[in-house]
Amino acid sequence: MNATAGLEPRNRSATLGPLGIESRLIATPWSRIVRGIGLGQRPQQYDPADAARIRRTFDLLRQRVPAATDYTAFAHLLSDVVLRACDPSDPADDRTLAAGFTRALEAGRAEENAYYRLMAGCITIEAAAKCGLSRLVVGPDALVRPTPGYADVADEVLAMVDDIRPDGIADENAGRHGDYERLSASSAAFLAFWHLGLGDRLVTEDRDHIGEALTLIAGVPSPFFRGRGGSVLLSAVSVLGHAERAAPVVTEVLEVLDRADEIGVEPSFPSPMSPAFPRIYPLVTMLNSIAVSGWDRGDVDARFAEAVALYGRLGTEERTHMGLYLLLAAHGAGRTALVAPDLDAFIEDLLGSHHRIDPGADYFLSGISYTYLVQTALMTGRRDLVTDEMVDRMVRAFRYLESDPAGRANRPYPFAYAMTALAEIGQVERCFTASEHYGGISAVEWVVSRISPDGRDEGNRLFMLDHALINWALRQRGLGAPEPRALGGRWRLP
């Protein structure tokens, strides 16, 4: 094949619809791979070859980092039971599957970090729901039993939110987060309850979990993190049927974003970023939240015009990250024509920028840029713009991070992104094919073999690989898998 040829026939007819509610809410790699929410989108028919690749990758990880983390053990056990549930050739009974979910939960409960302990619980109960197995984890007759003192596993998971304390994230933004981590945990729990159909448990006579979570948004000092994190929570609250409670908070967050220059508390990024990047990111995520919830604000056109202006001031690599966010928000709000009057030209310009980007230059800005391009092409029906050259460069990029200590430690980050994107376009076998570039072994084997002893240097970057593999396993559950419906109405905000 010509190195620059598209992997699909030429098709100049970009479109963004219709998209399912979850895809509109959580479409970008960041939410799924970093935060572990919205896993398993775009389900496919069960593929024994994919199942074998998932299991092989976990085998390699467990051999390389046997004492690294209980979270990887959890992810391995959960992916295995999900694959058992999805395999039509070897159907498992409820007791066998319940035993598998129980083992996964026990490993998750052993995770020391309170946030990741909660995430393991949320992902488990949501996975059960997505596999049509809610009966195993919720209700008085559930076969998967909670820790004593809780009605069922769902209530146990919701209670874990209380274990998370402010400013508990140890990264380059320490001190700028405030309640951001608990806010994100609440979002994950609410979305899991949405999938399980348990939204009525969140507001009772004894406790108003939704009201408590909404107050957390004001406890995030950085406008960037308040907008980015708050947008997911606000969307979750709205699809659960409480849009009227989220509405005033939306206005408050937008007012904070308008004063971002005055407030300061700017985020730190692994790569140098333009001044426009921390302004557009929270803005487009908030616009997407408004769109998902079906709200109609009088200033929405002006907000999108602001986003388009900021997009024009981004660097080439930054546009690959933000193009997908901007298009999804615009599509959901019915403003695609305002943002991209010629959608094909917009997509072709964005995908064409890959010629100017080296995905092996760093682990963040350039390193995950191709994944955003592939996702944009996939979401807009322009897979013909994903070339053989692009895929080859994605797979080969990880060796070029070897000479940089930060690149080595963070390599699971772009690798998890790339493996996710390539699986979704049917090109993931490239990661599992032996290559001279990697000394005669596959990219998967090479990357895992370079993980530091017990993952000490990588830390929570390994969790991104865990999420990517769970996501891939959940996608095996079959075409036409049901999606929960939004319960929110349409609201006109001042």
Side-chain angles (χ1 to χ4, degrees), residues 78-93:
L78 181 63
S79 295
D80 186 69
V81 69
V82 165
L83 292 173
R84 290 290 308 275
C86 296
D87 186 352
S89 69
D90 185 21
D93 60 33

Side-chain angles (χ1 to χ4, degrees), residues 276-351:
F277 188 85
R279 297 295 178 262
I280 188 173
Y281 199 162
L283 175 59
V284 292
T285 55
M286 286 299 299
L287 287 171
N288 192 59
S289 178
I290 293 168
V292 166
S293 305
W295 297 331
D296 184 11
R297 288 182 57 97
D299 64 348
V300 72
D301 285 353
R303 295 285 180 182
F304 272 107
E306 179 187 358
V308 170
L310 288 167
Y311 182 79
R313 298 202 292 271
L314 295 176
T316 300
E317 292 86 352
E318 293 171 326
R319 288 190 182 191
T320 67
H321 292 231
M322 290 296 103
L324 179 58
Y325 282 96
L326 179 57
L327 287 174
L328 284 167
H331 170 67
R335 265 70 177 188
T336 304
L338 188 156
V339 167
D342 185 338
L343 183 56
D344 278 293
F346 185 99
I347 302 301
E348 289 169 7
D349 177 70
L350 186 59
L351 268 289

Side-chain angles (χ1 to χ4, degrees), residues 404-452:
D404 173 35
R408 289 199 304 273
N410 289 278
R411 188 158 37 206
Y413 187 167
F415 189 71
Y417 271 55
M419 192 162 56
T420 299
L422 293 177
E424 291 184 358
I425 63 169
Q427 294 292 318
V428 76
E429 74 277 1
R430 304 276 194 102
C431 295
F432 291 84
T433 302
S435 165
E436 288 303 315
H437 182 71
Y438 288 113
I441 60 176
S442 70
V444 171
E445 292 170 308
W446 191 90
V447 168
V448 174
S449 71
R450 268 31 181 208
I451 293 174
S452 64

Side-chain angles (χ1 to χ4, degrees), residues 175-395:
R176 300 180 179 96
H177 293 110
D179 284 318
Y180 179 71
E181 194 168 33
R182 188 168 181 178
L183 171 67
S184 298
S186 298
S187 301
F190 290 2
L191 289 168
F193 272 54
W194 175 51
H195 281 280
L196 288 163
L198 299 178
D200 58 328
R201 295 194 189 182
L202 298 173
V203 180
T204 67
E205 291 183 1
D206 296 326
R207 189 166 180 182
D208 180 3
H209 292 277
I210 287 178
E212 291 177 19
L214 288 172
T215 64
L216 295 172
I217 296 178
V220 180
S222 166
F224 175 86
F225 291 110
R226 191 178 301 194
R228 187 176 74 172
S231 65
V232 180
L233 177 68
L234 291 164
S235 293
V237 167
S238 295
V239 298
L240 283 163
H242 298 274
E244 77 286 354
R245 301 187 68 181
V249 185
V250 170
T251 299
E252 292 169 5
V253 173
L254 290 173
E255 289 173 350
V256 167
L257 297 184
D258 290 340
R259 296 172 45 234
D261 289 341
E262 168 195 338
I263 295 171
V265 197
E266 298 290 352
S268 177
F269 297 99
S271 304
M273 311 297 278
S274 72
F277 188 85
R279 297 295 178 262
I280 188 173
Y281 199 162
L283 175 59
V284 292
T285 55
M286 286 299 299
L287 287 171
N288 192 59
S289 178
I290 293 168
V292 166
S293 305
W295 297 331
D296 184 11
R297 288 182 57 97
D299 64 348
V300 72
D301 285 353
R303 295 285 180 182
F304 272 107
E306 179 187 358
V308 170
L310 288 167
Y311 182 79
R313 298 202 292 271
L314 295 176
T316 300
E317 292 86 352
E318 293 171 326
R319 288 190 182 191
T320 67
H321 292 231
M322 290 296 103
L324 179 58
Y325 282 96
L326 179 57
L327 287 174
L328 284 167
H331 170 67
R335 265 70 177 188
T336 304
L338 188 156
V339 167
D342 185 338
L343 183 56
D344 278 293
F346 185 99
I347 302 301
E348 289 169 7
D349 177 70
L350 186 59
L351 268 289
S353 68
H354 84 270
H355 294 294
R356 305 190 298 277
I357 301 171
D358 175 7
D362 59 60
Y363 71 87
F364 172 65
L365 186 55
S366 298
I368 61 177
S369 60
Y370 275 35
T371 296
Y372 277 98
L373 292 177
V374 170
Q375 295 273 239
T376 302
L378 183 62
M379 297 290 288
T380 58
R382 292 302 308 271
R383 284 178 57 179
D384 59 296
L385 297 174
V386 179
T387 65
D388 192 67
E389 175 199 18
M390 285 182 66
V391 172
D392 187 58
R393 295 183 77 187
M394 286 179 76
V395 175

